[in-house]
């Protein structure tokens, strides 16, 4: 917005990162309000939520977005379960009719995409999956742990749009490109491969499902039953022959 030319360079200088202020930045804020995504967030107190609880809350949030004018094909829902507080929360986003995908997008070439992603990797990544206009890149990067005290080289996957928009970054994860009909079985396999078990119990990895137009995030679901139930709901709306991408990341 209007303060970008003052705040952003100062923050960039403080943290030592490159900066570029867009032309006509003062007007972007007003345009953003007009084309912003709609957002709804609902929480319920539920002890050990089951599939029916998750489905009910999800459908409620989707109905609220539709009432607000969101286009059905743009709605994305994220469900999270807090087992310590017994809270089931759901956050949904959707775009209004004014926001027309593809209207202002620029398709980048392979070289342009690699240049855009270069700061995220130590060496040029390679494209391992193409899903419609989306691409999954794999490479190696230095990552920090324990508040920056330790550094290690990690395998990194990033999912980007053809215009260079970063949709997802995954560390030390794995992926599967499968037909929608086989997605449930592939998710189970990824979950077992990256699960962590201790004296306190098991922990399933963070799993996301990408289609050519949508990204479903199940990172907030911590048990196999909850995750697979949510996945099944999304797969009901996808043709069994359509290719989908599953990305799993250890917790």
């Amino acid at each position: 917005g209007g303060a970008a030319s003052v705040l952003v360079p100062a923050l960039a200088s403080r943290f030592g990162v490159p900066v570029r202020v867009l032309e006509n930045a003062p007007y972007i804020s007003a345009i953003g309000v007009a084309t912003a995504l709609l957002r709804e967030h609902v929480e319920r107190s539920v002890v050990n939520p089951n599939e029916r609880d998750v489905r009910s809350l999800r459908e409620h949030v989707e109905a609220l977005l539709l009432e607000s004018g969101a286009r059905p094909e743009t709605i994305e829902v994220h469900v999270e379960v807090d087992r310590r507080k017994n809270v089931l929360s759901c956050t949904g986003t959707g775009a209004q009719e004014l926001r027309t995908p593809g209207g202002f997008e620029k398709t980048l070439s392979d070289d342009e995409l690699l240049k855009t992603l270069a700061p995220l990797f130590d060496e040029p990544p390679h494209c391992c999956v193409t899903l419609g206009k989306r691409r999954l890149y794999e490479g190696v990067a230095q990552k920090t742990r324990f508040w920056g005290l330790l550094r290690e080289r990690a395998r990194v996957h990033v999912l980007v749009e053809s215009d260079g928009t970063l949709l997802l970054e995954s560390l030390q994860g794995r992926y599967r490109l499968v037909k929608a009909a086989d997605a449930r079985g592939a998710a189970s396999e990824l979950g077992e491969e990256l699960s962590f078990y201790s004296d306190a119990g098991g922990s399933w990895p963070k799993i996301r499902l990408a289609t050519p137009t949508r990204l479903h995030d199940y990172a907030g679901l911590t048990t196999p039953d909850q995750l697979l139930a949510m996945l099944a709901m999304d797969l009901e709306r996808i043709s069994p022959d359509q290719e989908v991408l599953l990305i799993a990341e250890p917790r």
Side-chain angles (χ1 to χ4, degrees):
S5 59
V6 178
L7 297 178
V8 176
L11 290 172
S13 176
R14 174 64 181 270
F15 293 102
V17 296
V19 62
R20 179 167 65 94
V21 178
L22 298 179
E23 186 179 358
N24 297 321
Y27 309 107
I28 292 178
S29 180
I31 296 173
V33 171
T35 61
L37 290 174
L38 299 170
R39 185 178 185 275
E40 294 286 350
H41 179 80
V42 178
E43 292 185 354
R44 292 178 180 173
S45 295
V46 183
V47 178
N48 193 22
N50 54 32
E51 179 180 350
R52 184 176 61 182
D53 298 321
V54 174
R55 181 185 292 271
S56 174
L57 183 58
R58 177 195 173 109
E59 291 177 348
H60 176 62
V61 170
E62 289 180 343
L64 292 175
L65 289 169
L66 291 172
E67 290 176 4
S68 300
R71 299 165 58 196
E73 65 272 19
T74 66
I75 293 177
E76 295 184 359
V77 178
H78 172 65
V79 177
E80 186 169 354
V81 178
D82 189 332
R83 302 174 67 180
R84 291 177 299 177
K85 299 180 180 179
N86 294 323
V87 173
L88 175 63
S89 61
C90 182
T91 301
T93 58
Q96 299 177 0
E97 196 66 35
L98 181 60
R99 185 184 176 99
T100 54
F104 303 98
E105 293 178 358
K106 176 184 176 182
T107 300
L108 302 182
S109 65
D110 292 341
D111 291 339
E112 289 174 325
L113 279 173
L114 288 174
K115 183 177 180 180
T116 301
L117 297 174
L120 301 177
F121 297 93
D122 291 344
E123 54 192 44
H126 69 276
C127 179
C128 48
V129 173
T130 298
L131 186 67
K133 293 184 178 181
R134 298 178 170 182
R135 297 181 184 179
L136 183 70
Y137 285 86
E138 180 179 321
V140 177
Q142 289 281 347
K143 296 297 179 180
T144 59
R145 298 190 334 175
F146 299 108
W147 303 280
L149 298 177
L150 297 179
R151 283 182 168 271
E152 63 179 4
R153 287 172 62 84
R155 183 177 67 253
V156 179
H157 292 99
V158 294
L159 182 67
V160 296
E161 293 278 16
S162 58
D163 63 354
T165 301
L166 180 64
L167 300 174
L168 173 68
E169 181 178 6
S170 172
L171 301 180
Q172 302 289 33
R174 300 181 185 179
Y175 68 89
R176 296 282 192 280
L177 181 65
V178 297
K179 299 290 186 182
D182 303 322
R184 186 180 176 92
S188 296
E189 292 177 0
L190 287 171
E192 291 297 333
E193 291 174 8
L194 298 179
S195 290
F196 174 78
Y197 295 95
S198 66
D199 295 338
S203 176
W204 256 46
K206 304 174 184 177
I207 294 183
R208 285 95 171 185
L209 171 71
T211 71
T213 58
R214 303 182 71 175
L215 179 64
H216 304 278
D217 189 349
Y218 311 121
L221 303 175
T222 57
T223 67
D225 291 342
Q226 294 169 353
L227 190 148
L228 294 177
M230 190 72 171
L231 177 64
M233 295 180 207
D234 291 323
L235 292 174
E236 290 175 359
R237 310 177 186 186
I238 302 174
S239 169
D241 294 329
Q242 179 178 315
E243 283 192 326
V244 297
L245 177 65
L246 287 163
I247 304 172
E249 178 183 2
R251 292 188 184 275

